[in-house]
Amino acid sequence: MAIDQRVMEIADKAAEGTAPSREDVLHLLSFDEYSVEASYVCAIARQMATKAGKGLGLIHAQIGVDAYPCPENCRFCTFAAINYDADKGYSFDSAPEVPLEHIAAIAKTFDEEGAHLISLMATAGLPFERYLEMVRATRAAVSPEMLIMVNAADMTLEEAKALKDAGAQVAYHARRVLEGELTDIEPALREQTIANIHEVGLALMTGVEPLWEGIDPEELADRIMEIPAFKPYCTGACTLSPAKDTEMEHEIPSSTSKVRYVAAIVRLVCGYDVPFGGVGGAIWVDAGADPRGRGYEPDHAYLRSLVHRARRTLTRDGWDVPAHLDPSFLTR
Ligand code: SF4
């Protein structure tokens, strides 16, 4: 079967340390995710990711901590103020916040089962002081080695420092696809947040998201190309979860194969500088408030089974699942 020679050259050069140009990325995106070219790129990216992350596979646990109407208005999100339907009953114990003791208990369960990181995902409607309390409560509930990731509204330098002092080591932030058009977030503010995260010494996780059918390749190439400048320790790509009664509920999310292909291109662009992400090596398990309306199961036995399944899946796929992640991986 013939394979496009330029695609092979782009991937081979990336493996040797020369990152693709934006034109190269656009060329890669001109092939669909089921092409032999995509298979080649994914295979090379997998080899690069294995080398960059020393073959480690990580279990990331996420707790949605609140369900306030969110002023950021991401069109795909149930909690966006424009999509919000209070009749859906987003309250927990009559408040739109998961109670501190529940957050702590879920975090403890994830810790006991061997997750490597606990993400506390908040809306931008959650008061910052309440979020700080949640970070502190989580820190107190888990072992000292457990990584805590903050995934909340854009943050000032002072807020980023306060979150670090409260016990977080990692922050998730991304400039999403069509940020500022499909969201009410100013892209420059997002980039300032990423700078603040680095300034206070939090490690950054980021990604190219969300992905759905019909995104302009020029936009996608821009989002892929900027990832190295964000200096993450972990990155990747994520599909759209079309939530019912949102402005984007009828969009078709990108296939698993397409997400894998985009993540592989991200890996080619990042080279070996980013230890994790870009074709496998990390699995997410979720609990708490759910902005995509998927309906998480609160039962701890089920949460434990999710972590067990994540470990089995990573092992099946050839990743080595460590007891804890060496913090040296976080510094770049
Ligand atoms: S995705 Fe996050 S930032 Fe956007 S509206 Fe939903 S909660 Fe707010």
Side-chain angles (χ1 to χ4, degrees):
M1 182 183 293
I3 179 168
D4 183 271
Q5 290 302 300
R6 185 175 166 198
V7 168
M8 289 183 72
E9 280 171 22
I10 292 168
D12 291 348
K13 279 189 180 168
E16 290 163 6
T18 303
S21 67
R22 187 175 184 280
E23 287 308 308
D24 290 335
V25 168
L26 282 168
H27 185 67
L28 297 177
L29 290 172
S30 70
F31 294 88
D32 77 46
E33 61 268 38
Y34 304 110
S35 62
V36 64
E37 285 78 10
S39 297
Y40 189 82
V41 168
C42 287
I44 294 291
R46 166 66 193 247
Q47 289 175 4
M48 292 174 68
T50 301
K51 189 172 171 189
K54 296 189 167 47
L56 299 181
L58 305 179
I59 302 166
H60 293 159
Q62 178 154 268
I63 306 172
V65 297
D66 77 290
Y68 281 97
C70 182
E72 309 287 30
N73 279 328
C74 305
R75 309 302 191 261
F76 44 82
C77 177
T78 304
F79 296 156
I82 52 165
N83 295 323
Y84 206 79
D85 179 0
D87 290 341
K88 282 193 170 166
Y90 298 123
S91 293
F92 311 88
D93 291 356
S94 77
E97 297 174 19
V98 179
L100 280 183
E101 61 271 24
H102 290 195
I103 294 171
I106 294 169
K108 194 162 182 293
T109 294
F110 282 143
D111 189 12
E112 288 169 356
E113 297 307 321
H116 300 99
L117 169 148
I118 294 173
S119 165
L120 299 178
M121 180 174 62
T123 74
L126 176 68
F128 183 73
E129 286 303 321
R130 295 290 300 146
Y131 191 53
L132 264 184
E133 286 177 42
M134 292 170 175
V135 175
R136 287 193 196 104
T138 304
R139 181 77 277 160
V142 298
S143 55
E145 302 84 5
M146 174 58 67
L147 297 174
I148 294 178
M149 183 170 86
V150 289
N151 180 356
D154 283 290
M155 58 187 83
T156 63
L157 204 54
E158 292 70 30
E159 288 171 336
K161 182 163 187 327
L163 290 167
K164 184 163 186 268
D165 291 346
Q169 293 94 355
V170 180
Y172 183 87
H173 260 277
R175 176 177 170 172
R176 274 86 55 88
V177 173
L178 294 180
E179 194 84 84
E181 293 180 43
L182 288 177
T183 71
D184 288 352
I185 298 169
E186 178 57 45
L189 179 62
R190 201 117 276 223
E191 287 165 17
Q192 183 59 54
T193 294
I194 288 172
N196 293 342
I197 285 166
H198 284 302
E199 177 77 23
V200 303
L202 289 167
L204 179 77
M205 185 185 295
T206 192
V208 177
E209 55 128 337
L211 297 176
W212 69 95
E213 290 305 295
I215 297 173
D216 182 350
E218 300 278 345
E219 165 72 9
L220 197 46
D222 284 345
R223 300 288 72 77
I224 292 171
M225 289 302 293
E226 71 191 355
I227 294 288
F230 291 159
K231 295 187 169 32
Y233 85 97
C234 183
T235 186
C238 182
T239 195
L240 173 76
S241 294
K244 191 171 178 309
D245 300 329
T246 65
E247 282 194 13
M248 294 183 71
E249 72 170 308
H250 299 300
E251 298 291 347
I252 300 172
S254 293
S255 65
T256 304
S257 299
K258 178 63 180 282
V259 173
R260 184 175 169 79
Y261 186 38
V262 171
I265 298 172
V266 171
R267 169 54 69 187
L268 262 51
V269 167
C270 290
Y272 300 99
D273 286 346
V274 180
F276 299 109
V279 189
I283 289 182
W284 287 88
V285 295
D286 295 277
D290 174 17
R292 308 290 176 266
R294 290 164 293 197
Y296 293 147
E297 171 64 60
D299 175 56
H300 283 234
Y302 180 69
L303 297 180
R304 289 180 197 279
S305 76
L306 288 180
V307 179
H308 294 179
R309 192 190 309 158
R311 180 178 289 103
R312 287 198 304 271
T313 303
L314 286 165
T315 304
R316 177 202 67 191
D317 291 345
W319 301 98
D320 183 11
V321 183
H324 295 287
L325 178 61
D326 182 341
S328 66
F329 275 106
L330 302 180
T331 50
R332 297 200 44 220

